[in-house]
């Protein structure tokens, strides 16, 4: 008797297992990353106090915005061309050399701009004496983090999820946690914390660059940069402009909170963004190895296979993100209370923001697929059209609703952006992921949310969180089983589980079966 998943084509099986395995590896790394990041923010929120933490939070979020720009589109360009040049090591080396050179050049320019503009930023936002030196330290940090992103992008482009996870997901936040703890233990305030983070990240860069060259066998070079630069920047430049547009779509809220509200409000908003980052884990994990695979399939004109993979991966993203959203909606207040009593006021903005997270996750890798199918200019135009709309809406919403308005503006921007990207993919390439199977995880999530809410009613305060999560996950899995799981999803879970069991048996020295 044939299993219903045996009709899945072999090439689709291989791609699904590669992406899913990368997602498992990445999700472990990203989960550890989020744990480290949350630990940093909790330590700093309690160690610095609400006002000083608000200074740190605003400066840090501005630095994070600039980090999105510092590579000038080099990371997506690596994903596009390193796999394409698999048999041309010289061109690979040139692409990597261009990525490093571009990042350092833009990083130095950004750091100089931050040094010059920091007094003005302070004057129009928090007006705190510690902000200017803290922001200037973080301007230097932008250059270093950009280099770490290039290192991670190289590993990702060659299909190594482990290398990307190690440097970008574990060591990068780990260094920040150690630096923050050491600085606070030595009695330093926010300026000393910023300086410690910069020095720690600098040490990471010193080790990361040569390790990446040795492990991937790609030694960066700019000897043939002139012949490769036009193609590289034709892809990187519109992506960089898209990244700048996306800053105004889903990061303008951070700047406007600092400018229109208070330092304490900036700290509260930063705390809820830490939790929001946890909800993005499934999308980030499945998108880890999808771009190079999509680039390869598109280059070989295998659009039918690409659409099948896009559908399966998007459904897996929805299936994994739903329990994250349910936990944050039900237990958001208790999780925000970890930062301190002041931060519980971020619960309603958190729930509003989660609406955008759901939409952004439910459409899958729309942005990456537009770039991997050579529609980066269309994405750039869309990014900027929505950026203008988002600035206007978020400004008006913050004036009217405060922190809730900041979350509402960003959530709407994320939803509209991703919805239009889905339509563009259908229009340009005929890619469309949705069918009725997507309703199964949503229905199971509703059931799990009700179960967790019942636990919350029965147990007081934070005591409900851990047992509630256990009950919620068990209920979710049971509901999925009863409602029925798609054959491709069962195939992925079964094959990965079998592979991991075999790996564990090998580690224990047990004979294979």
């Amino acid at each position: 008797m044939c299993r219903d998943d045996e009709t899945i084509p072999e090439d689709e099986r291989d791609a699904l297992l590669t992406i899913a395995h990368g997602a498992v590896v990445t999700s472990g790394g990203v989960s550890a990353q989020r744990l480290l990041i949350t630990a940093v923010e909790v330590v700093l929120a309690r160690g610095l106090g609400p006002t000083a933490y608000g200074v740190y939070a605003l400066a840090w979020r501005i630095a994070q915005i600039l980090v999105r720009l510092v590579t000038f589109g080099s990371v997506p360009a690596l994903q596009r061309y390193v796999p394409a040049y698999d048999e041309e090591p010289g061109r690979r080396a040139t692409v990597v050399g261009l990525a490093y050179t571009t990042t350092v050049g833009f990083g130095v320019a950004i750091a100089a701009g931050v040094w010059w503009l920091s007094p003005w930023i302070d004057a129009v936002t928090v007006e705190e004496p510690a902000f200017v030196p803290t922001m200037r330290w973080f301007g230097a940090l932008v250059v270093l983090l950009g280099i770490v992103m290039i290192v991670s992008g190289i590993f990702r482009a060659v299909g190594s999820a482990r290398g990307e996870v190690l440097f970008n997901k574990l060591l990068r936040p780990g260094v920040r946690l150690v630096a923050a703890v050491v600085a606070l233990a030595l009695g330093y305030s926010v300026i000393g914390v910023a300086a410690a983070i910069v020095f720690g990240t600098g040490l990471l860069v010193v080790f990361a660059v040569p390790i990446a060259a040795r492990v991937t066998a790609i030694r960066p070079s700019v000897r043939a940069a002139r012949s490769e630069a036009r193609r590289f920047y034709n892809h990187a430049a519109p992506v960089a402009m898209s990244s700048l547009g996306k800053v105004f779509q889903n990061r303008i809220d951070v700047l406007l909170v600092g400018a229109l509200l208070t330092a304490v409000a900036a700290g509260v908003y930063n705390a809820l963004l830490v939790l929001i980052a946890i909800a993005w884990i499934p999308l980030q994990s499945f998108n880890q190895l999808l771009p190079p695979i999509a680039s390869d399939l598109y280059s070989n004109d295998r659009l039918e296979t690409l659409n099948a993979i896009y559908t399966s991966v998007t459904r897996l993203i929805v299936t994994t993100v739903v329990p994250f959203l349910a936990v944050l909606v039900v237990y958001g207040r208790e999780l925000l209370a970890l930062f301190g009593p002041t931060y519980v006021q971020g619960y309603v903005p958190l729930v509003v923001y989660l609406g955008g997270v759901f939409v952004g996750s439910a459409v899958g890798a729309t942005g990456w697929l537009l770039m991997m199918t050579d529609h980066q200019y269309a994405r750039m135009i869309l990014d900027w059209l929505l950026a203008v709309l988002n600035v206007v809406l978020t400004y008006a919403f913050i004036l009217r609703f405060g922190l809730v308005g900041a979350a509402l503006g960003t959530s709407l921007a994320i939803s509209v952006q991703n919805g239009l990207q889905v339509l563009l993919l259908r229009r340009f390439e005929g890619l469309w992921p949705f069918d009725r199977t997507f309703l199964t995880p949503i229905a199971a999530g509703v059931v799990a949310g009700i179960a967790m809410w019942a636990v919350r009613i029965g147990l007081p305060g934070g005591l409900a969180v851990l047992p509630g999560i256990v009950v919620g996950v068990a209920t979710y899995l049971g509901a999925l089983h009863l409602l029925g799981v798609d054959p491709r999803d069962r195939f992925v879970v079964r094959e990965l589980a079998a592979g991991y069991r075999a790996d564990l048996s090998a580690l224990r020295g047990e004979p294979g079966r």
Side-chain angles (χ1 to χ4, degrees), residues 4-16:
D4 53 2
D5 58 25
E6 290 181 353
T7 59
I8 304 172
E10 191 65 30
D11 57 349
E12 188 180 334
R13 288 169 175 250
D14 293 340
L16 280 175

Side-chain angles (χ1 to χ4, degrees), residues 220-496:
S221 172
V222 291
R223 291 178 183 175
R226 182 172 297 180
S227 61
E228 199 65 47
R230 181 174 181 178
R231 189 176 187 185
F232 181 90
Y233 290 116
N234 183 57
H235 193 89
V239 171
M241 295 305 295
S242 291
S243 297
L244 182 58
K246 289 191 76 65
V247 165
F248 290 97
Q249 284 181 52
N250 53 25
R251 284 295 178 264
I252 194 66
D253 52 349
V254 177
L255 302 179
L256 291 176
V257 166
L260 301 177
L261 301 177
T262 64
V264 173
V268 171
Y269 200 72
N270 187 68
L272 75 89
L273 288 179
V274 172
L275 298 185
I276 289 294
I278 295 173
W280 286 118
I281 289 176
L283 181 66
Q284 290 179 329
S285 299
F286 280 98
N287 284 358
Q288 187 69 21
L289 297 183
L290 178 61
I293 289 175
S295 175
D296 179 66
L297 292 172
Y298 182 75
S299 298
N300 290 285
D301 199 28
R302 295 161 60 191
L303 289 179
E304 185 176 346
T305 301
L306 177 57
N307 190 67
I309 291 169
Y310 176 32
T311 299
S312 296
V313 171
T314 304
R315 185 176 52 249
L316 287 168
I317 292 170
V318 173
T319 303
T320 49
V321 78
V322 164
F324 282 83
L325 299 178
V327 168
L328 290 173
V329 169
V330 176
Y331 298 117
R333 285 189 179 87
E334 288 77 10
L335 294 172
L336 285 168
L338 294 174
F339 297 87
T342 302
Y343 301 90
V344 177
Q345 63 184 290
Y347 174 71
V348 175
L350 171 68
V351 174
V352 171
Y353 205 127
L354 289 174
V357 175
F358 174 73
V359 175
S361 299
V363 300
T366 54
W368 277 111
L369 287 174
L370 281 173
M371 290 186 287
M372 295 302 104
T373 54
D374 293 334
H375 297 298
Q376 60 269 23
Y377 283 97
R379 181 181 173 180
M380 178 190 71
I381 294 170
L382 179 60
D383 282 336
W384 275 98
L385 287 175
L386 291 173
V388 174
L389 176 64
N390 186 50
V391 171
V392 174
L393 290 178
T394 303
Y395 179 83
F397 287 160
I398 290 178
L399 291 179
R400 179 67 179 86
F401 304 112
L403 281 179
V404 176
L408 179 60
T410 303
S411 182
L412 285 174
I414 294 171
S415 301
V416 173
Q417 167 81 7
N418 283 278
L420 291 176
Q421 286 178 171
V422 169
L423 296 177
L424 286 178
L425 280 172
R426 186 171 189 175
R427 171 68 178 83
F428 292 148
E429 303 295 343
L431 301 177
W432 183 254
F434 303 114
D435 55 35
R436 62 182 181 80
T437 61
F438 281 68
L439 297 175
T440 299
I442 296 173
V446 172
V447 175
I450 294 171
M452 285 188 287
W453 197 270
V455 175
R456 187 176 186 272
I457 294 173
L459 293 175
L463 294 176
V465 177
L466 288 179
I469 291 174
V470 172
V471 170
V473 171
T475 304
Y476 182 68
L477 294 175
L480 282 178
H481 178 72
L482 291 174
L483 293 171
V485 178
D486 185 84
R488 282 174 169 78
D489 297 351
R490 285 200 302 270
F491 162 75
V492 168
V493 173
R494 187 182 65 250
E495 293 298 314
L496 289 182

